[in-house]
Amino acid sequence: MTAPLAFHTNPITMNSRLSITISLLVGALALAGLGALVYSAPPSNALTALALLLVLLAVTGLTAPFWRLLLRRILSKRTDREITGMGLRFGLWSGVFATGVILLQVLGFMNQVLILALLALLIMIEMLFQQNADAKRPSRKTRR
């Protein structure tokens, strides 16, 4: 006896939905933990480092689904797995950028030039990853 068609799902779609759900859950939990940390504990160096880690996790987890949706609209020729990976990576870069800006503010080095330099550095690192991924992909040209 076979299962009804209504219960048939694509495993790649389920994996991407699961990763996005986990990403949102991690982001929401990190945001709740950050709120509890800021509300209940006095500032110290160790708690500042923990707060920066929670900011990184919160921004990464909450922006990764947005990046995935945006990339799916823009890049229609990529597979769902590639788009999910890129969305998670872009979410990570967003988290690193937000954490870097907050760290610059905490250290007293907040400057527009440093913010732009940080953004340019993260964009160049992502471009390097994209070029390596494209180099590993087999060419679609046929030999005649």
Side-chain angles (χ1 to χ4, degrees):
M1 179 174 224
T2 61
L5 291 177
F7 295 110
H8 179 71
T9 58
N10 187 356
I12 293 176
T13 305
M14 288 302 293
N15 286 339
S16 64
R17 285 183 187 162
L18 181 64
S19 65
I20 294 304
T21 303
I22 290 172
S23 172
L24 282 173
L25 183 64
V26 166
L29 288 175
L31 192 62
L34 181 63
L37 180 71
V38 168
Y39 182 71
S40 65
S44 69
N45 288 339
L47 292 179
T48 302
L50 179 62
L52 288 173
L53 178 67
L54 288 173
V55 166
L56 174 71
L57 288 173
V59 172
T60 299
L62 296 176
T63 60
F66 166 75
W67 284 114
R68 182 182 177 277
L69 288 175
L70 184 68
L71 289 169
R72 189 171 18 153
R73 300 272 180 187
I74 294 172
L75 304 172
S76 60
K77 300 200 186 240
R78 302 272 178 132
T79 65
D80 195 40
R81 174 174 270 176
E82 288 176 330
I83 289 176
T84 301
M86 287 174 60
L88 291 172
R89 202 167 57 232
F90 281 20
L92 177 66
W93 295 131
S94 300
V96 169
F97 178 72
T99 305
V101 169
I102 291 171
L103 184 63
L104 287 174
Q105 178 67 32
V106 168
L107 295 176
F109 292 128
M110 184 69 119
N111 188 352
Q112 290 86 5
V113 175
L114 287 176
I115 293 172
L116 287 175
L118 177 64
L119 184 62
L121 177 68
L122 294 175
I123 289 172
M124 286 190 285
I125 292 171
E126 177 58 30
M127 287 176 62
L128 178 70
F129 285 148
Q130 291 293 325
Q131 288 175 351
N132 285 340
D134 286 342
K136 291 179 183 177
R137 186 176 304 167
S139 177
R140 302 206 186 251
K141 296 178 184 177
T142 58
R143 294 182 187 175
R144 292 184 185 195

